[in-house]
Amino acid sequence: MFKSLFKAKPVHREALDLYALAVEQARQPVFYTTLGVEDRIDARFELYTLHVLLLYVRLRHDSPRSAELAQAMFDHYVSALDNVLRELGVGDVSVGKKMRKLGEALYGRMASYEKALSEFDLETLKAGIARNVYGQDDSEHAAVLADYAFACHAALASQTIAEIERRPNWAQISE
C-alpha cells in the first residue's frame, strides 16, 4: 500500500520530461546568437515561459489525460522557478513575495501570448515579445521570434499527443 502511495504517477514523470524538452528548446544557442536574446536569467525566463506555454496550449484541450499532463508540466515549471530563487540565495521569507511577483508575470504573459496565438494576432505577440524578451517597445528580432512562436504553434497542432510526448517537433528559426 505504501509503495503505491508514494510512487510518482506516470503523468508526472512524463510532464517533467516535457518540461525538460521545453527548457532544452529554449536554450538553443540560436536564440542568443542570432536573435539577440541576452543571456540573463530574466530573458531565459521569458524563453522558458514561451516554450512551456506553446506545449501547454497544445495539450490542454486535447483530452482529459493531456490536460492533466499540461497542468503537471506547468506545475513543474512553477516549482522550478521556486527552486531557482532558492538557488540564487533568496531567503525563505522573501521567496513567497518573489514567487507571487513571478507568478503574476507568468500568468500575464501566458494570457497575452495565448490570446495572440489563438487570434492569429502577430502584432500583439510581437509587441509582447519585444517588451518582455528584449525590454524594448520594438525590436527587429521580436518579429522573427513571434513568427517562430506561430510556426511552433502550428507545428505542435499537427502532431499527435504521443508524438509530442516522445519529442515535440519545434519549428525552425528563420534566420
Side-chain angles (χ1 to χ4, degrees):
M1 179 172 128
F2 287 113
K3 271 188 179 180
S4 65
L5 181 64
F6 294 109
K7 188 175 179 182
K9 292 182 182 179
V11 73
H12 291 288
R13 180 71 222 163
E14 294 162 358
L16 183 58
D17 292 345
L18 269 180
Y19 169 70
L21 290 169
V23 168
E24 177 185 299
Q25 182 63 19
R27 288 181 175 167
Q28 293 300 306
V30 69
F31 294 115
Y32 304 95
T33 57
T34 303
L35 292 185
V37 175
E38 292 185 33
D39 191 14
R40 299 183 328 257
I41 193 161
D42 57 328
R44 288 190 304 267
F45 163 79
E46 298 296 341
L47 288 177
Y48 295 175
T49 299
L50 178 63
H51 287 88
V52 167
L53 169 72
L54 288 164
L55 286 174
Y56 181 82
V57 166
R58 171 61 182 96
L59 296 170
R60 191 179 59 195
H61 296 297
D62 193 76
S63 70
R65 184 191 172 281
S66 67
E68 181 183 4
L69 182 60
Q71 186 60 53
M73 179 192 59
F74 180 78
D75 294 345
H76 281 296
Y77 181 40
V78 172
S79 177
L81 290 175
D82 182 87
N83 291 338
V84 166
L85 287 177
R86 292 174 191 282
E87 287 174 6
L88 291 173
V90 175
D92 287 338
V93 174
S94 300
V95 168
K97 291 178 186 177
K98 296 227 185 246
M99 280 302 294
R100 186 178 328 107
K101 186 176 178 181
L102 270 176
E104 289 169 1
L106 177 64
Y107 284 111
R109 280 155 181 73
M110 290 183 78
S112 173
Y113 292 171
E114 183 175 4
K115 185 174 191 261
L117 287 167
S118 68
E119 295 176 357
F120 303 101
D121 186 349
L122 180 61
E123 288 306 310
T124 298
L125 186 60
K126 182 178 107 175
I129 287 172
R131 183 177 53 257
N132 297 324
V133 176
Y134 296 100
Q136 305 172 20
D137 289 335
D138 193 20
S139 166
E140 64 184 72
H141 298 303
V144 177
L145 192 51
D147 284 339
Y148 163 80
F150 273 105
C152 284
H153 185 60
L156 292 168
S158 71
Q159 297 168 58
T160 67
I161 299 301
E163 290 169 331
I164 291 170
E165 285 183 53
R166 279 192 298 280
R167 178 166 278 280
N169 186 15
W170 304 97
Q172 299 298 310
I173 298 274
S174 57
E175 299 179 39

